[in-house]
Amino acid sequence: MIEGTLARMQKCSQQNDLNIEVNLLRPPPEQSFWVNLIGRGYPPPNRTFRWCTQRLKIDPVTVFVNQRLGHWGEAILHLGARRAESSSRAQTMAGREVRNGLHRHPDLPRVWVSNPIEFLTTEEVWAYLLQKPNPWGGDNRALYKLYSNASDGECPIQIDTSTPSCGNSRFGCWTCTVIDRDKASEGLLAAGDERMEHLIRYRETLLEFRDPDKGWRDSRRMNGNEGPGPLLIKGRRELLRQLLSLQEETGLTLITPEELLLIQQMWKAARDLTTAVASPGLSTNSEDSS
């Protein structure tokens, strides 16, 4: 849905000479979720080790903006954050100093941030999206249906203040192990998307592999200290096997050939390092180690 929307935006820009360039940002393959998890052995994220947000979201945006700053000098980011999303979001946004509707980006000194829908309620956002046609063509009924399904079919616009709305189901990654329950995935499954049953099951597998007591993690951290460490090679192999099986079951492209190659290279480097440490001064045969 995102890719289709961006393609329509780009087409609209070209047809109307708007000089708007559309970019879909992704982390580089060497920093993808699967390469970090299965290749490097990072344990599935939790609240205290939430390594995914920085690598998958923040860094790609930072790199992109910095590349453009070299040409323009300054930039304004328009973000769709709203105070009504959560109490913590409201508190964070209320504490920012705003000048002329903008506030400085905390990490990018030449970047200003605009939150044009900061004070809109969820109901007001949906009312606007459903009443106003998109400038690039099409409407937002498919988007509404997606959020409705994620909310298990319950998606009133505004009946009274006690009724929930579609926006209460905030979408994240289907692999997210930071949250206790992925209600959006459960809602999509309840709405008839049978693929979600397999995806939810794999997420539960990630939770199991994160548990140090299940035997899938090293007893030492990456810095050598005692404590739950990275996933063992046997755990990474099993997660990859199940991921490839999941890809076949769902018909979804979940991991790319480039990511698979990077994972193989990291596994080989880890084996070579282990062999070198165990037998210092001895050369290793690359064919034997593979």
Side-chain angles (χ1 to χ4, degrees):
M1 182 177 291
I2 290 172
E3 290 173 345
T5 299
L6 294 182
R8 288 191 292 273
M9 289 180 177
Q10 185 70 69
K11 184 177 179 180
C12 176
S13 173
Q14 294 169 348
Q15 291 175 338
N16 295 279
D17 295 324
L18 299 178
N19 197 30
I20 294 175
E21 181 183 341
V22 176
N23 293 275
L24 177 58
L25 301 186
R26 290 186 174 94
E30 61 271 14
Q31 287 296 343
S32 75
F33 181 77
W34 300 124
V35 169
N36 277 305
L37 181 84
I38 299 176
R40 293 187 174 91
Y42 282 27
N46 59 26
R47 294 184 186 278
T48 57
F49 188 38
R50 197 169 181 166
W51 54 264
C52 50
T53 304
Q54 183 73 36
R55 288 169 174 79
L56 305 186
K57 290 181 63 178
I58 297 175
D59 287 349
V61 173
T62 300
V63 169
F64 180 81
V65 171
N66 280 329
Q67 289 172 343
R68 296 308 173 95
L69 282 176
H71 178 71
W72 296 107
E74 286 189 320
I76 296 177
L77 290 180
H78 297 285
L79 301 179
R82 296 180 301 110
R83 297 195 183 201
E85 290 180 52
S86 66
S87 57
S88 59
R89 176 62 59 86
Q91 185 176 3
T92 300
M93 298 184 76
R96 294 170 177 167
E97 181 181 354
V98 178
R99 295 181 181 178
N100 298 321
L102 303 174
H103 63 88
R104 284 197 177 275
H105 193 284
D107 302 314
L108 300 171
R110 291 185 294 161
V111 175
W112 299 85
V113 179
S114 163
N115 298 114
I117 62 171
E118 176 178 356
F119 297 100
L120 294 187
T121 66
T122 302
E123 290 76 13
E124 288 171 333
V125 172
W126 278 117
Y128 182 89
L129 290 175
L130 293 174
Q131 292 173 16
K132 300 288 185 179
N134 295 325
W136 50 85
D139 56 39
N140 294 298
R141 285 179 294 180
L143 183 68
Y144 182 81
K145 186 175 185 296
L146 175 64
Y147 274 82
S148 174
N149 289 343
S151 301
D152 198 10
E154 296 296 327
C155 200
I157 289 290
Q158 187 176 9
I159 299 175
D160 55 58
T161 56
S162 65
T163 55
S165 66
C166 300
N168 286 341
S169 56
R170 293 173 57 186
F171 279 94
C173 306
W174 66 268
T175 56
C176 185
T177 50
V178 176
I179 56 177
D180 296 327
R181 284 180 58 194
D182 185 355
K183 295 180 180 179
S185 292
E186 293 173 0
L188 291 171
L189 175 60
D193 191 340
E194 297 180 356
R195 297 173 303 179
M196 300 311 303
E197 181 178 359
H198 304 285
L199 298 177
I200 291 171
R201 188 185 307 126
Y202 190 85
R203 176 183 173 273
E204 292 172 350
T205 299
L206 293 178
L207 289 169
E208 176 190 342
F209 276 55
R210 189 180 67 185
D211 187 347
D213 297 330
K214 299 297 184 179
W216 297 108
R217 295 178 61 179
D218 201 329
S219 59
R220 286 186 176 274
R221 303 185 189 276
M222 289 183 175
N223 60 10
N225 295 336
E226 290 284 345
L231 295 170
L232 297 169
I233 288 292
K234 68 172 185 177
R236 302 180 213 179
R237 286 183 179 276
E238 180 59 22
L239 284 178
L240 180 58
R241 185 193 68 79
Q242 292 192 33
L243 179 63
L244 294 175
S245 176
L246 176 65
Q247 192 166 244
E248 288 190 13
E249 291 172 345
T250 60
L252 297 169
T253 301
L254 302 176
I255 188 169
T256 66
E258 189 172 4
E259 289 175 304
L260 288 171
L261 179 60
L262 286 168
I263 288 170
Q264 287 180 321
Q265 292 172 345
M266 289 178 180
W267 286 359
K268 182 181 183 302
R271 287 195 299 270
D272 289 348
L273 177 62
T274 301
T275 303
V277 170
S279 306
L282 298 178
S283 62
T284 60
N285 186 300
S286 60
E287 292 184 355
D288 292 340
S289 65
S290 62

